[in-house]
Amino acid sequence: MTEKLRVAVIGAGRMGADHIARLHTRIHGAEVAAVVDVDAARAQAAIEGIDGAVALTDAAEALDNGDVNAVLIATPGFLHEDILLSALARDIPILCEKPLTPDAESAWKIVQAEERLGHKRIQVGFMRRFDDEYAALGRIIRDNELGELLMLHHQHRNPETPASFTNEMLINDSVVHEFDAIRFFTGEEITSVQVRLGKATKNAPSGQHDPQHVLIETESGVLADVEIYVNAKFGYEVATQASFEEGVVSIGGDRGPYTRSAGRWGGNITAGFEERFGAAYDTEIQSWVDAALRGEVGGPTAWDGYATAACCEAGVEAQKNGEKVTVRLKAKPALYN
Ligand code: ISE
């Protein structure tokens, strides 16, 4: 492998722009070589001030560019499959924002394509695994520090969603993070998903039922629940409480200075995921770059992308029928053991 990743960033929207800034200013061992966006002006604006980078509107052209030797995919999920297959065919390191693909069938095709390649090239952008508190809770669980983990309670709250954010996206775009987090914490696969729809806020766009309560079970019977509430107004909050045999651990609570002033007390709530998980994204991308330079993958794999896609599929079915829906997974290929 070369000494530096020359990265083509595909998609210069909210997440793509955030990754371009981090690759350009904070990440060692990688540079932005190309930015691709269907909106040529947005691609051009994204490479402003980045010497040697080119702005393009076609992902294939970027992957064929001799100056590019890695790809970061930050387009909406439904566009991932083709880009992933093209990048795998070129055998280059890939960081793919979540979801790997929007459904289990297409995610499985990606797993099979990587298996045929014979080595892992895809890292999926589940950044929470790189958050300090997530990592600390993961260690407490793995070291059995407080006995067996019994239950996980998750709160996932966003200030608001655009009108285009569908009911299914509460699962596919948001709870997909908890599916990965639960698999990460327990080291187990998720076996079933149920979704309960209770009283809804008037602040959700039409067609979206918000909040929702998602109930999840893992192989050994760990129960997890998620309050997914994406038009919560007050700010961005992602927190978890874990119940063990010998104690309870909470992560993701409010942080930062606690101020008393002008007759009020308290602190600030983060506005969005860029602030809440900024440090985790930096660690995630650095881990991808360092591993890629060694010819490895430095985080969640295509298998994790496939397994969470299967959970999402079960979750969307459960949204519709209110039943406990079984998650069906194919056998895990040896490449991911
Ligand atoms: C968004 O796409 C993310 O990945 C955020 O982490 C999540 O909190 C949000 O709900 C999603 O829409």
Side-chain angles (χ1 to χ4, degrees):
M1 190 78 220
T2 52
E3 280 168 12
K4 238 181 195 184
L5 293 195
R6 297 277 300 156
V7 184
V9 179
I10 319 289
R14 186 172 170 186
M15 201 64 246
D18 202 47
H19 282 318
I20 290 165
R22 88 172 21 88
L23 280 167
H24 184 52
T25 58
R26 299 193 288 283
I27 300 300
H28 307 286
E31 286 167 353
V32 177
V35 172
V36 180
D37 201 284
V38 278
D39 178 344
R42 189 155 79 165
Q44 189 58 44
I47 60 161
E48 197 89 341
I50 307 181
D51 288 345
V54 292
L56 302 166
T57 53
D58 178 28
E61 200 185 328
L63 297 179
D64 284 339
N65 183 322
D67 194 30
V68 164
N69 63 12
V71 62
L72 190 158
I73 305 170
T75 60
F78 72 93
L79 294 170
H80 289 183
E81 183 179 349
D82 285 349
I83 307 169
L84 281 164
L85 291 172
S86 307
L88 280 176
R90 287 162 177 85
D91 199 8
I92 56 173
I94 303 163
L95 187 292
C96 181
E97 263 306 330
K98 58 93 226 178
L100 180 66
T101 65
D103 60 89
E105 196 186 330
S106 53
W108 181 245
K109 270 198 222 156
I110 301 298
V111 165
Q112 285 181 304
E114 195 175 51
E115 206 190 354
R116 278 195 298 277
L117 191 65
H119 50 252
K120 287 179 267 187
R121 278 302 203 187
I122 300 171
Q123 180 172 328
V124 182
F126 288 122
M127 77 299 187
R128 290 193 194 176
R129 294 186 183 213
F130 298 90
D131 177 71
D132 283 350
E133 290 190 51
Y134 269 74
L137 177 55
R139 271 192 302 277
I140 292 170
I141 296 169
R142 274 191 302 284
D143 296 350
N144 230 33
E145 223 173 89
L146 300 173
E148 290 289 320
L149 172 70
L150 307 174
M151 283 195 183
L152 290 162
H153 307 285
H154 300 269
Q155 295 90 42
H156 186 165
R157 299 173 182 133
N158 296 174
E160 63 194 356
T161 52
S164 57
F165 203 89
T166 62
N167 203 44
E168 290 76 21
M169 285 169 82
L170 267 79
I171 301 292
N172 290 336
D173 212 56
S174 303
V175 178
V176 65
H177 283 293
E178 275 77 22
F179 288 139
D180 183 65
I182 292 161
R183 297 177 60 260
F184 166 67
F185 286 141
T186 60
E188 297 174 23
E189 293 300 349
I190 289 170
T191 52
S192 73
V193 183
Q194 187 180 7
V195 179
R196 302 193 65 210
L197 306 178
K199 191 164 178 176
T201 171
K202 64 177 185 310
N203 296 321
S206 105
Q208 201 197 86
H209 190 111
D210 186 38
Q212 303 187 11
H213 192 211
V214 185
L215 307 169
I216 294 160
E217 244 171 295
T218 72
E219 286 165 313
S220 74
V222 172
L223 295 183
D225 62 273
V226 184
E227 176 195 312
I228 181 67
Y229 183 16
V230 291
N231 295 279
K233 294 287 180 196
F234 70 91
Y236 188 89
E237 183 179 56
V238 165
T240 297
Q241 193 174 72
S243 300
F244 295 83
E245 288 171 310
E246 313 288 342
V248 171
V249 177
S250 297
I251 60 167
D254 298 328
R255 280 170 270 195
Y258 178 101
T259 308
R260 279 163 290 161
S261 169
R264 299 179 67 80
W265 50 263
N268 294 324
I269 298 171
T270 46
F273 51 83
E274 295 93 338
E275 298 87 352
R276 167 67 178 83
F277 288 110
Y281 282 121
D282 284 356
T283 312
E284 170 197 51
I285 300 299
Q286 192 63 63
S287 173
W288 171 59
V289 171
D290 292 347
L293 291 172
R294 296 191 305 268
E296 295 167 9
V297 162
T301 64
W303 172 261
D304 298 306
Y306 160 71
T308 50
C311 294
C312 287
E313 225 166 81
V316 169
E317 192 182 329
Q319 268 183 332
K320 293 188 180 121
N321 66 16
E323 307 285 320
K324 178 165 133 177
V325 177
T326 302
V327 177
R328 298 195 193 289
L329 288 182
K330 296 188 190 288
K332 193 176 187 175
L335 180 62
Y336 303 100
N337 285 330

